Amino acid sequence: MTIEEAQQQVDQWIKTVGVRYFNELTNLGILMEEVGELSRLMVRQYGEQSFKESDKGKELSDEMADVLWVLICLANQTGVDLTKALEKNFEKKNIRDINRHRDNEKLQ
C-alpha cells in the first residue's frame, strides 16, 4: 500500500464506518494519546521500566499503526499530501544533513 492509497482508504473508512472525521483539535489530542501509548510500550520493551498487567498483550506494530492512522486523518483533514510532504522532507534532509551525521563524533 502506498501512502496515497493509505490516505484514500482511511478517508473512505471515515466516511462510511466512522461517519465523519473528529475535528482537527480532537484528532491532535488523540494523536498525542496514541504517541503516549506507543511511548509507554517502548520504554517497557526497550527501556528500564517493567511491564504492568495492563501492558501485556500490546504490540508495537499496533501502537505504531494507531499513530499512523490518526496522522493520516489529520493530513486528510488539512489537505496535506503525505507522499509529497515526505518527498520534500527527504530533499530538505539531504541538503541540510549531507555531512552532519557523518561528521558527528558521537556517532562514530
Side-chain angles (χ1 to χ4, degrees):
M1 174 185 311
T2 66
I3 297 172
E4 180 181 6
E5 290 168 339
Q7 283 194 253
Q8 291 169 354
Q9 287 187 33
V10 167
D11 190 62
Q12 185 62 32
W13 188 92
I14 293 291
K15 291 176 178 174
T16 57
V17 179
V19 180
R20 67 170 179 80
Y21 285 93
F22 295 124
N23 72 45
E24 295 84 354
L25 288 179
T26 298
N27 271 337
L28 179 63
I30 293 169
L31 179 62
M32 296 303 102
E33 289 175 2
E34 296 298 350
V35 168
E37 291 175 16
L38 174 61
S39 175
R40 179 182 179 90
L41 191 55
M42 291 284 297
V43 299
R44 280 158 177 74
Q45 190 163 339
Y46 296 99
E48 297 160 343
Q49 285 196 327
S50 59
F51 281 89
K52 293 181 179 178
E53 196 61 36
S54 61
D55 299 319
K56 294 186 178 167
K58 297 194 176 183
E59 296 182 20
L60 283 177
S61 60
D62 189 47
E63 299 302 333
M64 288 181 184
D66 286 344
V67 170
L68 183 58
W69 179 277
V70 182
L71 184 62
I72 290 172
C73 287
L74 283 167
N76 287 350
Q77 290 176 276
T78 58
V80 172
D81 179 330
L82 285 172
T83 300
K84 288 180 182 174
L86 187 57
E87 288 169 349
K88 187 175 177 181
N89 198 268
F90 267 107
E91 288 176 23
K92 175 181 75 175
K93 285 176 175 28
N94 284 331
I95 292 167
R96 181 190 67 196
D97 299 331
I98 191 74
N99 293 312
R100 179 173 164 225
H101 301 298
R102 213 180 331 238
D103 295 342
N104 183 348
E105 291 181 14
K106 296 176 183 178
L107 298 177
Q108 303 304 318

